[in-house]
Amino acid sequence: MTARGLLQENGSEQKTDEVWTVGQLNRRVGDMLQGQFSRIWVRGEVSNFTAAASGHWYFSIKDERAAVRAVMFRGRAQTVGFVPKAGEKFEFRATVTLYEPRGDYQLQVEAMRRAGRGDLHEAFLALKEKLAAEGLFDDARKRTITTMPRAIGVVTSLAAAALRDVLSALARRAPHVPVIIYPAPVQGMDAAGQLCQALHTAIDRNEVDTVLLVRGGGSLEDLWSFNDEALARLVASSSIPVISGVGHETDFTICDFVADLRAPTPTAAAELCCRSRDGCLEAINVLSASLASRHARILERAALRLDRAVALLVSPQDRLRQQGDRLQQLKERLVRAAAHPQERRASSLAAMRSRLLYARPDLAVQQQSLARARRDLFATSLRLIERRQQRMVAARQTLQALNPRTILDRGYAIVRKDDGSIVKNALDLSVGEQLGVELGQGSVHVSVLQAHGLL
């Protein structure tokens, strides 16, 4: 329909001689487009995709015959849950608008879904919810991947690029680990059943310690074999730990959730299934060095113990000679002791007499010392008594000088309140208050008539 036809249809045909600006024209055409088209669904392939720093998405939607520009603003883009890729087909719910600065019409996308995959996505979510409710996704039931497998099994297609990636990664990381391939198609109508058969074969043979279930990236339809319920249950019940490496990092399948370990890519699955040869060699070198060091320390301690034992060891001949010398010495001492017993006793008695004479006290000297001590004690006692008497006289004089009765005898008085407290300031008294006055001889009770402070 031409612009003139649109104007006529809206009942607002303009005069042919009226001159419009370009902005007015674009605005009017934009209003017509929005009025003519309500929200519509458009199917097409994404191209020229750009995610702006503002969060808006700019791209083109095309098919084999035409293309149209599109924009999805940040608020809408955040609800999609994934980032579209160039070449992927989607169905877009959008409104038709006109970008006035350039006069280009475009689609303002409000929502998008993968083209032809709505039913598949719903089936995926339903199966995921079902298996999760049964506990097949629980971490508690998943097995630990052995780091030193005797062999590794790979379930995938012989023609898959994922197989080459896995074999290349294993040849680089762990060339010492045997790899057994259980071939099965990874795409197509019968792929799920053959994948189950290949995994059954690996489980029945029990010749590997880890199974890699891998394939490269693709669309939801391409990966659908790995969303099969029978395959998922077999992976969950497998007696051999299973690592799932299906698609790219952003791709998820049911097998990823039930597997004992999910790898983002097939290459990552190969890296996670065993320790690298270099890592093993490094660990062996560290352990060997530690063992050699401990062995050397053990030998050093044994050598020290041997040296101490040799130093303490005496030959029987030397021991007999030492004991013979000791016996001879004892024999000589015994002979000497038996030959001179009287001389030894006389000498001992003389020594004891000398010690007794030396220890006997001299009574005259002790009496003189006692007399001197008695005289000194008497003189010291007289001096001490005199000093004490002098101190007592001085204390009596001081006490007499400080006696308040002596002060009262000179005409002073002590004024007390009814509670017994002493009055020191006239301003603390009230007119009419009763006071007690203590004099040098006796006391009187008075009443306050007037109180004055110091001038």
Side-chain angles (χ1 to χ4, degrees), residues 299-309:
L299 291 178
E300 291 173 357
R301 289 194 293 268
L304 292 175
R305 290 198 302 269
L306 179 61
D307 292 340
R308 287 195 294 268

Side-chain angles (χ1 to χ4, degrees), residues 84 90 95 127 169 177 231 257 384:
F90 297 91
T95 57
L127 180 58
V177 179
L231 178 60
F257 296 109
L384 180 61

Side-chain angles (χ1 to χ4, degrees), residues 86-361:
E88 293 183 332
K89 293 183 178 181
F90 297 91
E91 293 177 351
F92 305 88
R93 188 181 68 184
T95 57
V96 182
T97 61
L98 184 78
Y99 185 62
E100 294 183 9
R102 288 199 303 264
D104 296 336
Y105 95 93
Q106 65 181 8
L107 298 182
Q108 183 173 320
V109 179
E110 297 179 352
M112 57 189 301
R113 64 191 181 195
R114 298 188 183 274
R117 297 203 299 180
D119 295 338
L120 292 180
H121 187 63
E122 291 180 2
F124 171 83
L125 294 178
L127 180 58
K128 179 182 176 183
E129 182 178 358
K130 175 183 178 182
L131 299 183
E134 296 179 15
L136 269 63
F137 299 168
D138 295 345
D139 293 335
R141 54 152 295 277
K142 296 188 178 182
R143 295 166 290 271
T144 303
I145 306 300
T146 179
T147 57
M148 300 291 292
R150 55 177 175 168
I152 296 173
V154 182
V155 176
T156 191
S157 172
L158 293 176
L163 178 60
R164 294 190 296 271
D165 295 340
V166 169
L167 294 178
S168 176
L170 289 176
R172 181 184 70 255
R173 285 178 51 84
H176 59 286
V177 179
V179 180
I180 301 176
I181 302 172
Y182 303 94
V186 295
Q187 184 175 342
M189 294 294 296
D190 300 329
Q194 296 189 45
L195 286 170
C196 289
Q197 183 178 353
L199 184 55
H200 265 302
T201 301
I203 296 172
D204 293 340
R205 291 182 181 179
N206 194 26
E207 56 192 352
V208 297
D209 292 330
T210 306
V211 173
L212 307 184
L213 183 63
V214 298
R215 72 147 287 160
S219 63
L220 181 60
E221 293 89 344
D222 296 337
L223 305 179
W224 191 250
S225 299
F226 296 87
N227 293 322
D228 183 74
E229 181 175 356
L231 178 60
R233 293 187 181 278
L234 179 59
V235 170
S237 63
S238 171
S239 58
I240 302 175
V242 178
I243 300 178
S244 174
V246 179
H248 301 298
E249 186 172 357
T250 57
D251 296 325
F252 284 91
T253 65
I254 297 298
C255 286
D256 291 331
F257 296 109
V258 298
D260 299 292
L261 180 63
R262 186 251 175 184
T265 61
T267 302
E271 294 175 350
L272 293 173
C273 68
C274 63
R275 293 185 63 178
S276 66
R277 179 177 179 272
D278 294 339
C280 294
L281 292 177
E282 182 179 357
I284 291 173
N285 292 334
V286 172
L287 293 174
S288 298
S290 176
L291 181 61
S293 177
R294 295 182 62 182
H295 183 66
R297 289 196 297 271
I298 292 173
L299 291 178
E300 291 173 357
R301 289 194 293 268
L304 292 175
R305 290 198 302 269
L306 179 61
D307 292 340
R308 287 195 294 268
V310 170
L312 297 175
L313 182 63
V314 179
S315 66
Q317 185 177 0
D318 293 339
R319 180 63 60 86
L320 289 175
R321 184 171 56 254
Q322 292 174 0
Q323 292 179 352
D325 294 342
R326 175 64 175 166
L327 182 61
Q328 184 63 31
Q329 294 174 2
L330 294 175
K331 181 179 178 181
E332 293 175 356
R333 288 178 58 186
L334 181 61
V335 171
R336 287 195 300 269
H340 307 285
Q342 298 297 329
E343 295 178 1
R344 189 166 58 254
R345 290 178 181 177
S347 176
S348 174
L349 182 59
M352 294 176 65
R353 181 181 295 109
S354 176
R355 291 173 58 189
L356 179 61
L357 292 175
Y358 179 79
R360 186 178 66 179

Side-chain angles (χ1 to χ4, degrees), residues 39 191 239 369 387:
R39 289 180 177 81
S239 58
S369 177
R387 284 197 296 270

